[in-house]
Amino acid sequence: MEKRTVVIAMLGAVSLGVTSCNTFVGVGRDFKRLGEGVENTAYGKTWDGQPRRARQPQYTPPSNQVAPQ
């Protein structure tokens, strides 16, 4: 009975170790993507690396005139 418990505990430890490797790889990829996004933003690009579009100025009527209808 004791040998069976040890084998089950070892299999559990191995399975946790294997899945944690995938987790660490995923976390590394997430941090890499985060760094790329911050770098793109610092260089004036969008988060995914595309050039920013110039904003079109919106029309605002002068405050002393009535807006055209």
Side-chain angles (χ1 to χ4, degrees), residues 26-49:
V27 169
R29 289 178 185 156
D30 291 342
F31 276 115
K32 180 180 178 186
R33 182 86 169 120
L34 176 66
E36 289 171 354
V38 170
E39 185 176 348
N40 287 337
T41 303
Y43 286 118
K45 298 179 181 178
T46 60
W47 187 259
D48 60 354

Side-chain angles (χ1 to χ4, degrees), residues 4-58:
R4 185 176 180 178
T5 306
V6 170
V7 170
I8 291 173
M10 290 179 72
L11 286 175
V14 168
S15 66
L16 284 175
V18 169
T19 58
S20 68
C21 289
N22 289 333
T23 302
F24 282 117
V25 168
V27 169
R29 289 178 185 156
D30 291 342
F31 276 115
K32 180 180 178 186
R33 182 86 169 120
L34 176 66
E36 289 171 354
V38 170
E39 185 176 348
N40 287 337
T41 303
Y43 286 118
K45 298 179 181 178
T46 60
W47 187 259
D48 60 354
Q50 301 298 320
R52 288 195 188 272
R53 295 185 197 170
R55 290 186 176 178
Q56 297 294 330
Q58 294 184 356

